[in-house]
Amino acid sequence: MGDKKKNSAESDLMQKIVGLCKRRGFVFQSSEIYGGLKSAYDYGPLGVELKRNVMAEWWRSMVHEREDVVGLDASIIMSPKVWQASGHVGGFSDPLVDCKDCKTRFRADKAPVVEKGAEVKYRAQGKTVTGVANQPYVCPECGSPNLSEEREFNLLFKTNLGPVDTGDSTVYLRPETAQAMFVNFLNVQSTYRLKPPFGIAQQGKSFRNEITVEHFIFRSCEFEQMEMEYFCPPEEAPNWLDYWKQERFDWYVRLGCKKENLRLRAHEDDELAHYADGCYDVEYKYPWGWDELEGIANRTNYDLKKHQEASGKKLTYFDPVKINPETGKQGVHYLPYVIEPAAGATRTVLMFLLDAYDEEPPSEGRKDGRVVLRLHPRLAPIKVALLPLVKKDEWLTGKAREIVKDFLRNGINAFYDEKDAIGRRYARQDEAGTPFCITVDGQTKEDGTVTIRYRDDMRQDRIKLEEAVHIVTSKIRE
Ligand code: GAP
């Protein structure tokens, strides 16, 4: 495909997703009635359910289904000393460049690359002009090589604690959830009497003053992370890195992500963070190409060491059994190594929306095409919709509402809809990703059966009313 065609197909799908999100209440632009705030998003009724389901599935597989991982919920605002020790205050920055022609501000490391000294053609004030590239990239917006010098821009959001800004009251909004696991390492280890290997998991908001916010909720300034720090004896770290990279890859596949759209990519040596000894990205094939979904890194004992040095508090683990190589006696204090699977919850929401989106053209026997979100039933915001065939029949509407209550009592998110013809109601649920619709009709009165319709193949079965909750529950748990 030519670049132009590819770009338009890309923006086409993204536009459809953004449109669907707004139309159906998945994601809205923040502060929309005031013109919107760049890079901030609000999750509507369907979006909040989808995001919570993604995060609950992560928690289930990372914490509840394992004996070796426990949870943590730390403050977003931590002591500024944490961020000094971790290196974020000094070094958490991106290279920033301004285009002197179109005034776009962008990240140098994300800009189109050209050969230094090359002649480049670009559009300025409606004309095509030629310039010489004195830096190895050009403006991503207009293609101009006429750029400012590169500056480092720190991504930390600053605020101050207390009523008066005295200068030394500066605090930061956390840019990752990870550091709280390091500074609480001994608190958690000792209170839960844990022995490496073990993990501490956390989910929640993180904040980065990103220079380039892009692709809807893919990169925003406020986002949610799902991170786990797995503390292990240093010699076991390479094996645990292998284990976790596969475990995390499989998690996306288990939740329905198409395998051909996912890959694991090892970081090249020059890509590795200075503290990391090996890193893999789980990448997804987004409409704009392969890009990061999650990183799984061997962070060595870098973070514990830094916090130990800066706080003056020993953060070593004492293994009473291990032989100390220096003394030859049993018992050794050591700083564990850390394997870190770090995922973005909001980015994962976008990924699942893109992956699940499908358009079916009209076919024989069905004159209208349909848009369907083929979300895994565990992720679907609404699990089942209850539809009385005829709105005016009070017995039908009453029965449908009764069944909704029954589902809700069983912890299954059910939705009642009586408006419009049944076909339109099915279409609305397909677009919302609802895997099951149950229709209550005249026959229900006679024999106590209802129709269950499956989203993916639109098959319809007649089932006994009293079996409905059981059937839907077992399909969700499959
Ligand atoms: N503790 C390691 C860490 O934070 P990271 O690669 O910077 O690593 C982990 O972030 C994940 O968080 C990313 O893979 C991505 O899914 C998500 N993420 C990072 N920055 C983001 C942003 N500005 N907007 C949305 N998600 C982001």
Side-chain angles (χ1 to χ4, degrees), residues 407-418:
F407 273 108
L408 296 178
R409 266 197 301 272
N410 280 279
I412 293 173
N413 196 16
F415 180 79
Y416 174 85
D417 189 6
E418 60 178 25

Side-chain angles (χ1 to χ4, degrees), residues 9-19 215-218 287-288 350 354:
E10 163 195 330
S11 55
D12 202 31
L13 177 57
M14 279 306 280
Q15 268 171 22
K16 283 177 180 166
I17 293 292
V18 175
H215 308 310
F216 192 35
I217 54 174
F218 175 80
W288 59 93
L350 174 64
L354 287 165

Side-chain angles (χ1 to χ4, degrees), residues 175-176 178 208 210 217-221 223 225 227 229 275 292-295 299 340 342-344 346-347:
E176 60 174 20
R208 298 182 189 178
E210 300 276 3
I217 54 174
F218 175 80
R219 193 185 311 283
S220 48
C221 289
F223 56 100
Q225 287 190 308
E227 298 196 287
E229 311 301 318
Y275 51 76
E292 182 180 334
L293 183 57
E294 165 165 358
R299 295 183 72 122
E340 176 196 68
T346 37
R347 190 173 290 187

Side-chain angles (χ1 to χ4, degrees), residues 176-427:
E176 60 174 20
T177 61
Q179 293 302 321
M181 274 82 99
F182 300 126
V183 301
N184 278 298
F185 166 66
L186 279 190
N187 276 341
V188 175
Q189 184 275 326
S190 60
T191 51
Y192 230 72
R193 288 183 291 132
L194 294 160
K195 183 176 174 316
F198 72 88
I200 310 178
Q202 184 173 207
Q203 302 181 324
K205 296 248 172 168
S206 291
F207 302 82
R208 298 182 189 178
N209 202 355
E210 300 276 3
I211 299 166
T212 321
V213 285
E214 53 186 353
H215 308 310
F216 192 35
I217 54 174
F218 175 80
R219 193 185 311 283
S220 48
C221 289
E222 177 178 340
F223 56 100
E224 297 219 45
Q225 287 190 308
M226 312 186 282
E227 298 196 287
M228 195 272 285
E229 311 301 318
Y230 199 72
F231 300 90
C232 65
E235 64 279 10
E236 292 180 16
N239 281 347
W240 284 116
L241 178 63
D242 273 353
Y243 169 85
W244 281 112
K245 75 167 203 273
Q246 200 52 47
E247 187 61 26
R248 293 302 307 143
F249 184 90
D250 293 346
W251 182 79
Y252 294 103
V253 177
R254 282 202 300 277
L255 284 173
C257 178
K258 297 183 195 90
K259 226 172 169 174
E260 65 270 24
N261 290 341
L262 271 184
R263 72 177 185 194
L264 270 169
R265 190 181 65 80
H267 274 210
E268 305 288 338
D269 284 350
D270 61 355
E271 251 183 298
L272 279 178
H274 60 283
Y275 51 76
D277 181 15
C279 182
Y280 290 86
D281 279 350
V282 179
E283 293 190 332
Y284 182 73
K285 203 176 183 182
Y286 297 93
W288 59 93
W290 289 99
D291 211 334
E292 182 180 334
L293 183 57
E294 165 165 358
I296 301 108
N298 174 357
R299 295 183 72 122
T300 69
N301 59 12
Y302 175 85
D303 306 87
L304 288 178
K305 202 154 69 193
K306 284 280 170 200
H307 288 303
Q308 179 168 272
E309 279 164 20
S311 67
K313 301 270 165 35
K314 252 196 152 67
L315 294 179
T316 50
Y317 169 77
F318 177 66
D319 186 330
V321 180
K322 224 177 185 173
I323 305 292
N324 185 331
E326 280 161 27
T327 61
K329 289 189 186 147
Q330 259 193 344
V332 64
H333 292 269
Y334 71 92
L335 283 176
Y337 268 36
V338 174
I339 306 301
E340 176 196 68
T346 37
R347 190 173 290 187
T348 303
V349 166
L350 174 64
M351 182 281 282
F352 277 124
L353 284 170
L354 287 165
D355 207 65
Y357 185 88
D358 195 12
E359 283 174 6
E360 279 182 4
S363 61
E364 220 177 290
R366 204 163 45 88
K367 66 175 184 357
D368 297 320
R370 64 170 186 155
V371 168
V372 50
L373 272 188
R374 299 186 188 279
L375 290 169
H376 189 288
R378 283 181 187 270
L379 299 181
I382 300 168
K383 308 297 184 203
V384 57
L386 268 299
L387 318 170
L389 191 64
V390 186
K391 182 167 126 182
K392 286 187 190 128
D393 186 328
E394 277 180 18
W395 190 90
L396 297 188
T397 55
K399 197 73 189 165
R401 286 200 187 274
E402 221 175 81
I403 308 170
V404 167
K405 285 215 176 68
D406 206 15
F407 273 108
L408 296 178
R409 266 197 301 272
N410 280 279
I412 293 173
N413 196 16
F415 180 79
Y416 174 85
D417 189 6
E418 60 178 25
K419 194 171 176 288
D420 297 325
I422 193 77
R424 291 190 60 183
R425 283 184 266 168
Y426 284 149

Side-chain angles (χ1 to χ4, degrees), residues 1-103:
M1 227 193 283
D3 263 5
K4 271 205 177 131
K5 263 200 181 151
K6 199 167 134 218
N7 286 347
S8 90
E10 163 195 330
S11 55
D12 202 31
L13 177 57
M14 279 306 280
Q15 268 171 22
K16 283 177 180 166
I17 293 292
V18 175
L20 175 73
C21 281
K22 183 171 160 51
R23 192 170 70 249
R24 297 309 312 272
F26 279 96
V27 183
F28 307 118
Q29 178 76 63
S30 158
S31 320
E32 202 183 73
I33 61 165
Y34 288 102
L37 181 68
K38 201 174 149 210
S39 168
Y41 296 96
D42 299 342
Y43 290 74
L46 292 180
V48 67
E49 295 298 333
L50 175 58
K51 178 150 72 76
R52 288 172 71 108
N53 291 343
V54 165
M55 294 173 86
E57 283 304 312
W58 186 93
W59 197 263
R60 191 165 69 82
S61 90
M62 298 297 273
V63 184
H64 286 168
E65 288 183 351
R66 305 185 63 101
E67 286 185 76
D68 57 347
V69 180
V70 294
L72 179 73
D73 186 1
S75 302
I76 286 175
I77 296 174
M78 302 170 77
S79 163
K81 290 178 183 161
V82 171
W83 307 110
Q84 279 146 14
S86 67
H88 285 86
V89 173
F92 191 51
S93 54
D94 280 337
L96 174 77
V97 175
D98 289 307
C99 173
K100 290 184 185 163
D101 282 307
C102 74
K103 313 293 176 213

